[in-house]
Amino acid sequence: MSLDASNVLLVEDDPQQPKLLAALLQEANISVLHAATAVDALGLLREKQVDLVLLDLGLPDINGFELLRQFKESPELQAIPVIVLTAWNSLADKLRGFELGATDYLTKPFEPAELRARVRAALRARKLQRELTQANRELTAARIVAENAARAKADFLANASHEVRTPLNGVI
Ligand code: CA
């Protein structure tokens, strides 16, 4: 499945990472936006269309887990997949990440090809989910149109039979 051009938001305070990831993901038609703090990340998410978040956990202003929790509690943001990308490699941290709603969890140092493959997999899943949501919306709209038509027809028939009956009632 080919992917459309996508925007990934990297939330990461290490200044080396954005360039590295931009170079790594560029060939997969993915642009990298960058936020060095949680505050910047939330600002960018309000302004831009973001298809996926790559989230570091050791951030200067907030623990990345707390930011992940905020994302997943926000009705506007919760559908955006989040891949945790961190040096924190304990099992407890990984489990906590998934529990808070992370789509995937990658530890640093990472294999570039693996990171790209996981990002693409998450973007594919997101795309399918969007298409499904869109198809459901269209089905619902079609159902409402059909129901309205059926109701109009029933009303018309009820009125018609009433009009037919009324003069007859007079005769009888
Ligand atoms: Ca960090």
Side-chain angles (χ1 to χ4, degrees), residues 114-169:
E114 184 185 0
L115 179 126
R116 190 165 49 219
R118 287 180 188 252
V119 165
R120 287 179 53 103
L123 287 171
R124 266 199 304 275
R126 171 80 177 118
K127 185 182 174 192
L128 288 172
Q129 186 197 43
R130 260 196 206 135
E131 286 171 358
L132 208 63
T133 306
Q134 179 62 28
N136 271 333
R137 209 172 284 148
E138 284 166 12
L139 272 175
T140 303
R143 204 195 63 216
I144 290 169
V145 168
E147 282 172 1
N148 286 342
R151 198 171 304 127
K153 189 178 163 194
D155 288 351
F156 174 78
L157 289 176
N159 285 334
S161 63
H162 180 69
E163 277 158 23
V164 170
R165 231 183 301 120
T166 312
L168 282 178
N169 283 346

Side-chain angles (χ1 to χ4, degrees), residues 12-14 56 58-59 108:
E12 165 70 74
D13 58 321
D14 173 352
D56 179 31
L59 295 170
K108 296 179 202 165

Side-chain angles (χ1 to χ4, degrees), residues 65-135:
F65 283 130
E66 174 56 25
L67 188 57
L68 178 58
R69 196 185 57 73
Q70 287 182 23
F71 284 164
K72 293 301 166 183
E73 281 179 0
S74 156
E76 297 85 43
L77 303 179
Q78 63 187 185
I80 303 173
V82 177
I83 298 180
V84 173
L85 182 61
T86 181
W88 300 3
N89 60 5
S90 77
L91 177 62
D93 285 335
K94 290 179 189 171
L95 294 179
R96 186 160 177 221
F98 282 113
E99 206 166 289
L100 288 171
T103 295
D104 206 347
Y105 194 111
L106 270 163
T107 51
K108 296 179 202 165
F110 56 83
E111 284 293 336
E114 184 185 0
L115 179 126
R116 190 165 49 219
R118 287 180 188 252
V119 165
R120 287 179 53 103
L123 287 171
R124 266 199 304 275
R126 171 80 177 118
K127 185 182 174 192
L128 288 172
Q129 186 197 43
R130 260 196 206 135
E131 286 171 358
L132 208 63
T133 306
Q134 179 62 28

